[in-house]
Amino acid sequence: MERENVLVSAADMARQQDFTAKIKAIHHQRGQQPKALVDTYGCQQNVADSQNIMGMLAAMGCTFTDDAYQADIVVLNTCAIRDHAEQRVFGTLGTLTHTKKANPRQIICLCGCMAQRKEVADRVRRSYRHVDLVFGPQALWRFPELLYQVYSRSGRVFSIEDEHGAIAEGMPVVREGRTRAWVSIMYGCNNFCSYCIVPYVRGRERSRDPEAILSEVGQLAAEGYKEITLLGQNVNSYGKDLPEKWDFADLLAAIDEIPGDYLIRFMSSQPKDATHKLFDTMARCRHVAPQLHLPVQSGSDRVLRAMNRPYDRAQYLELITYARAVMPDLVLTSDVIIGFPGETEAEAMETVQLVEEVQFDALFTFIFSPRPGTPAARMEDPVPRSEKQKWFDRLCDAQNAISETIHRRYVGQTLRCLVDGETGDSRWPLSARTAGGRLVHLTGDSAALGDYHNIRITDSNTWALFGELVD
Ligand code: SF4
């Protein structure tokens, strides 16, 4: 698709601002300051999208609440990656029948990846008649216009066209706090891994202009944000659709020129597009965190082919070996799916053996969840769930032992960490992240919040480190 058709025009963005002003005027005429509730499910990309939704609602004059009975507008920003996530949303929609009864003028919106699925939209149209607006991720930038249609027509609105997807620059945003920020660098995915719903609900890959990203990151660094995470379904294929020659490593190197005391993280990566150039650039850039999340998914070459993941075990190991050679302190994490249709016990154990060979710092482990509309959902799947559960438990036991050992090596070290949270736990009231992204529970004064501090690690367990502020 031509670049000019991917970028939302300034005129179209201005139209959305007009709809925002119209909705604000309606609220004013009603003499109300509306309250909105935005509930986010799923990945960091959804967190970033919700911050745009909150930005648009704030521009409409809304303040925010966590109480659905107080809310005049409720937005559920949903995830379709696993069936469990979808069932939770349907549960929440059920409870919202009561809030709508209590406040008939309440507007209920369903958006995000789940809403983009036609079966879901049809089910909501039929059985959840209290839902007023349904729109997918590609229509996010048109939220003001769609909401205005609900206000003006007092009818239900559905917008889930199967679009290529656009890039809308300049959407308002409400960020959480002033320490960490999410910056989307691209949207969509062209990889069509056979188990994954993302390409069907988030459209084709489209990269933001590098200048727009550099300007946003520059602004955040100038405002004193300490950690900036670059987001994309597959950040490693950044730039493939850009007219000028830019790849992800080029973008990282350009960002690294921006002055300030901040760390850059990024997610998610696809091994097929990970390169030595990227790892060399990460090693050279002082702002880029020594952290890499590189989902391997399986240790069996046959299963990787069935997953339509175009790399094999040897290629993955070569990438890891090179990355660790140029970044000895690299913190490496990954994703693994156990119980893929047709997988045998021997193949599942190849994955356990790979995990033991690589020694990941941490692993996100999942039992295969069939997603309607994906090729994997139509594959023969003879192995019972109970058997897959046994394989899964062996994988988790192996990884837990590895994480425990790796975390123990931190004890006694003093590390520069970003103190970024309060836990409410009297024993360990604060939380922090190491440069590599490891979680630290710590004692100390909350005045340390929002900045980097030296922390002496005094203890550890499988999941986290424990320590005390030393400065
Ligand atoms: S690369 Fe990631 S987002 Fe894209 S299809 Fe594969 S698993 Fe899904």
Side-chain angles (χ1 to χ4, degrees):
M1 176 178 268
E2 294 312 308
R3 187 80 184 149
E4 58 276 7
N5 303 330
V6 170
L7 291 174
V8 175
S9 69
D12 280 341
M13 290 307 284
R15 275 182 70 243
Q16 296 308 314
Q17 285 158 6
D18 294 345
F19 286 117
T20 300
K22 285 182 178 158
I23 293 173
K24 192 170 184 178
I26 292 172
H27 292 152
H28 188 68
Q29 277 152 19
R30 290 180 180 176
Q32 78 179 138
Q33 175 153 52
K35 286 190 171 52
L37 180 155
V38 178
D39 191 7
T40 306
Y41 298 76
C43 67
Q44 300 314 336
Q45 186 58 59
N46 257 12
V47 172
D49 289 351
S50 287
Q51 293 183 346
N52 283 130
I53 291 169
M54 291 175 75
M56 291 184 262
L57 287 165
M60 296 167 188
C62 295
T63 56
F64 298 96
T65 176
D66 292 333
D67 179 350
Y69 279 92
Q70 293 297 317
D72 301 287
I73 301 172
V74 175
V75 180
L76 304 186
N77 187 9
T78 65
C79 169
I81 211 78
R82 264 172 285 282
D83 185 56
H84 172 68
E86 294 198 345
Q87 294 320 317
R88 282 179 54 217
V89 170
F90 281 120
T92 304
L93 285 179
T95 61
L96 290 173
T97 53
H98 307 296
T99 61
K100 186 95 173 195
K101 257 203 208 89
N103 170 11
R105 273 215 307 204
Q106 182 177 66
I107 293 178
I108 297 172
C109 312
L110 188 77
C111 67
C113 296
M114 178 183 164
Q116 182 70 32
R117 297 205 311 111
K118 188 172 176 321
E119 310 94 298
V120 169
D122 292 346
R123 181 174 168 188
V124 171
R125 199 191 296 274
R126 247 190 349 269
S127 317
Y128 295 83
R129 308 190 71 77
H130 57 300
V131 176
D132 304 285
L133 172 57
V134 176
F135 63 99
Q138 275 74 285
L140 179 78
W141 64 277
R142 291 174 42 233
F143 174 50
E145 175 185 349
L146 298 169
L147 189 59
Y148 183 72
Q149 287 173 16
V150 174
Y151 273 83
S152 53
R153 274 192 288 148
S154 308
R156 308 172 73 199
V157 175
F158 287 74
S159 176
I160 57 155
E161 294 73 30
D162 185 12
E163 304 171 42
H164 172 286
I167 294 177
E169 291 294 347
M171 279 191 282
V173 60
V174 171
R175 297 187 193 278
E176 194 192 338
R178 298 187 61 74
T179 302
R180 310 169 76 189
W182 311 104
V183 173
S184 300
I185 64 168
M186 64 181 297
Y187 305 94
C189 187
N190 295 354
N191 290 314
F192 290 92
C193 301
S194 61
Y195 53 83
C196 185
I197 194 80
V198 171
Y200 305 92
V201 291
R202 286 220 171 241
R204 298 289 63 73
E205 283 175 10
R206 50 218 190 269
S207 306
R208 290 178 65 199
D209 283 337
E211 296 74 22
I213 298 169
L214 291 170
S215 137
E216 185 173 353
V217 172
Q219 180 67 32
L220 291 167
E223 289 172 15
Y225 280 83
K226 296 296 179 189
E227 186 184 284
I228 299 165
T229 302
L230 309 178
L231 294 177
Q233 305 299 341
N234 174 19
V235 292
N236 295 346
S237 58
Y238 174 81
K240 288 186 175 173
D241 58 318
L242 288 175
E244 7 27 77
K245 196 176 160 337
W246 275 80
D247 65 18
F248 185 51
D250 300 330
L251 181 68
L252 281 183
I255 288 175
D256 196 53
E257 302 296 317
I258 297 170
D261 182 17
Y262 63 90
L263 265 185
I264 292 288
R265 302 189 191 283
F266 57 86
M267 61 170 76
S268 282
S269 294
Q270 225 283 14
K272 83 173 195 17
D273 298 309
T275 62
H276 289 191
K277 176 186 175 183
L278 171 63
F279 301 147
D280 292 338
T281 305
M282 289 176 69
R284 217 180 32 248
C285 292
R286 75 183 188 84
H287 287 113
V288 176
Q291 177 193 12
L292 178 66
H293 181 66
L294 197 63
V296 66
Q297 302 299 6
S298 174
S300 153
D301 288 350
R302 189 200 67 77
V303 174
L304 285 171
R305 284 193 299 278
M307 287 177 166
N308 190 31
R309 305 258 315 161
Y311 55 86
D312 62 21
R313 185 188 174 105
Q315 287 164 318
Y316 187 85
L317 288 170
E318 189 281 331
L319 283 172
I320 300 301
T321 307
Y322 187 89
R324 283 177 165 162
V326 295
M327 293 175 280
D329 300 331
L330 183 70
V331 168
L332 179 65
T333 59
S334 191
D335 295 345
V336 161
I337 294 174
I338 278 283
F340 187 79
E343 184 176 49
T344 64
E345 179 170 4
E347 289 167 335
M349 292 311 111
E350 283 185 74
T351 300
V352 176
Q353 198 278 324
L354 176 91
V355 161
E356 287 165 341
E357 182 173 345
V358 172
Q359 299 278 302
F360 294 104
D361 292 74
L363 207 55
F364 300 87
T365 51
F366 310 95
I367 295 182
F368 171 74
S369 169
R371 304 311 303 136
T374 63
R378 298 187 291 276
M379 293 179 185
E380 282 290 304
D381 191 3
V383 177
R385 172 84 186 195
S386 55
E387 189 60 21
K388 294 182 181 186
Q389 186 65 51
K390 289 190 199 128
W391 304 347
F392 180 80
D393 295 344
R394 283 163 71 180
L395 170 72
C396 293
D397 291 348
Q399 181 57 44
N400 291 347
I402 293 165
S403 295
E404 178 117 18
T405 307
I406 290 175
H407 282 167
R408 209 169 305 127
R409 294 188 200 128
Y410 287 90
V411 176
Q413 295 183 29
T414 294
L415 304 170
R416 187 169 186 267
C417 302
L418 176 60
V419 181
D420 61 0
E422 291 185 279
T423 63
D425 171 339
S426 59
R427 178 83 185 76
W428 303 101
L430 299 175
S431 66
R433 292 278 170 180
T434 66
R438 306 317 302 143
L439 174 62
V440 186
H441 297 293
L442 68 151
T443 57
D445 189 310
S446 60
L449 271 172
D451 209 343
Y452 290 98
H453 291 274
N454 290 325
I455 296 175
R456 185 174 26 259
I457 306 303
T458 54
D459 199 357
S460 69
N461 66 18
T462 304
W463 319 108
L465 310 174
F466 299 84
E468 57 197 13
L469 276 173
V470 290
D471 63 3

